Amino acid sequence: METTLFFFSQINMCESKEKTFFKLIHGSGKEETSKEAKIRPKEKRNRLSLLVQKPEFHEDTCSSRSGHLAKETRVSPEEAVKWGESFDKLLSYRDGLETFTRFLKTEFSEENIEFWIACEDFKKSKGPQQIHLKAKAIYEKFIKTDAPKEVNLDFHTKEVITKSITQPTLHSFDAAQSRVYQLMEQDSYARFLKSDIYLDLIEGRPQRPTNLRRRSRSFTCNEFQDVQSDVAIWL
């Protein structure tokens, strides 16, 4: 009998201890939660303050705001040198096309190469429906007045496209593409060969962040009306 009573008393003691233990755990948890709730805002402010003080934070922020366009590339100096042989050669290399596009972005004139690429893709259209849809998309994006990425075409070339856009053919944009190609070859390509983006590549130097700058786009295709067009399929 005494053994039985002793056994039950031990069980009650264990239960009492367990209850006390759980009360302590849950109580401290609530207390801890309450403290954390008060401390967290302060910790966040402190962490943000430390982050703002880090030099790399400012570098990333400034880089983002100024539109820096650094890009890792594995182009060999030998390949980059070949890009300088001709504009046609530059566009025939995928990395050359991407690097030239990056350069044009520094001058806010990437719409020219984007239009050229769109025309190359348009020539591969199959069937009247695809031709019509792609022609309309190109017209809306690059040709019409106040288009999001309107290219700088002379009035006559733009007028011809506008009149024929309802019944487009695979050659609807040939004249415009040729003129934009000439503009890039005579104007942008010459500056590209003198740019840090290109010179760093041929010298094998790491690519540096490139600041965006606004270039005057007051010139028109009329400057090159006397230039003989010699546009082929580059890609």
Side-chain angles (χ1 to χ4, degrees):
M1 185 68 176
E2 290 180 2
T3 305
T4 304
L5 290 172
F6 176 77
F7 175 74
F8 280 111
S9 67
Q10 290 296 317
I11 290 175
N12 290 335
M13 286 177 66
C14 289
E15 286 179 351
S16 177
K17 287 178 180 178
E18 285 178 1
K19 287 178 183 178
T20 305
F21 175 76
F22 281 111
K23 281 181 182 178
L24 287 171
I25 292 298
H26 291 302
S28 63
K30 288 177 183 176
E31 225 174 284
E32 210 48 50
T33 304
S34 176
K35 286 179 181 179
E36 283 179 6
K38 293 177 182 178
I39 293 171
R40 274 176 192 166
K42 188 175 180 181
E43 284 183 349
K44 286 179 181 178
R45 288 194 296 271
N46 290 340
R47 286 174 185 173
L48 182 59
S49 176
L50 288 171
L51 181 63
V52 171
Q53 289 172 18
K54 289 184 178 181
E56 58 267 28
F57 175 82
H58 291 285
E59 288 173 7
D60 291 343
T61 305
C62 293
S63 175
S64 173
R65 287 179 181 175
S66 62
H68 286 180
L69 297 168
K71 182 182 177 181
E72 289 297 324
T73 180
R74 295 182 180 179
V75 176
S76 67
E78 293 76 20
E79 180 182 322
V81 168
K82 292 179 182 178
W83 302 350
E85 294 176 7
S86 68
F87 187 48
D88 183 64
K89 177 78 77 172
L90 170 69
L91 298 184
S92 69
Y93 285 87
R94 181 182 294 275
D95 287 328
L97 180 59
E98 289 180 357
T99 304
F100 183 64
T101 301
R102 186 157 59 94
F103 167 74
L104 291 182
K105 285 181 179 180
T106 69
E107 299 194 329
F108 291 87
S109 59
E110 68 272 17
E111 70 276 1
N112 291 327
I113 194 65
E114 289 179 10
F115 172 68
W116 181 86
I117 293 171
C119 290
E120 288 298 292
D121 178 68
F122 175 71
K123 292 174 185 177
K124 301 171 186 175
S125 301
K126 295 178 181 179
Q129 185 177 7
Q130 192 176 60
I131 290 173
H132 180 76
L133 290 173
K134 286 188 176 183
K136 183 179 179 182
I138 290 174
Y139 178 79
E140 294 287 333
K141 185 174 182 178
F142 298 105
I143 305 297
K144 74 173 186 179
T145 303
D146 295 326
K149 294 199 171 184
E150 183 180 2
V151 291
N152 202 3
L153 297 172
D154 61 274
F155 175 79
H156 175 71
T157 302
K158 182 179 286 192
E159 188 70 10
V160 170
I161 295 174
T162 302
K163 288 181 179 179
S164 64
I165 198 64
T166 53
Q167 294 182 319
T169 70
L170 290 176
H171 302 288
S172 291
F173 300 104
D174 283 0
Q177 185 185 19
S178 175
R179 291 182 183 280
V180 168
Y181 177 90
Q182 291 165 11
L183 283 174
M184 291 190 294
E185 182 180 37
Q186 299 291 328
D187 187 60
S188 304
Y189 177 58
R191 286 197 307 280
F192 169 74
L193 296 179
K194 298 175 182 178
S195 70
D196 289 335
I197 290 177
Y198 180 66
L199 295 177
D200 284 346
L201 285 174
I202 62 176
E203 295 294 334
R205 295 192 294 262
Q207 291 289 282
R208 69 186 82 178
T210 307
N211 291 317
L212 299 176
R213 68 182 180 85
R214 170 61 69 186
R215 177 174 62 85
S216 172
R217 298 184 62 211
S218 59
F219 65 91
T220 67
C221 288
N222 292 325
E223 296 178 35
F224 301 104
Q225 283 184 344
D226 297 328
V227 178
Q228 292 297 317
S229 175
D230 185 24
V231 181
I233 296 178
W234 300 277
L235 297 179

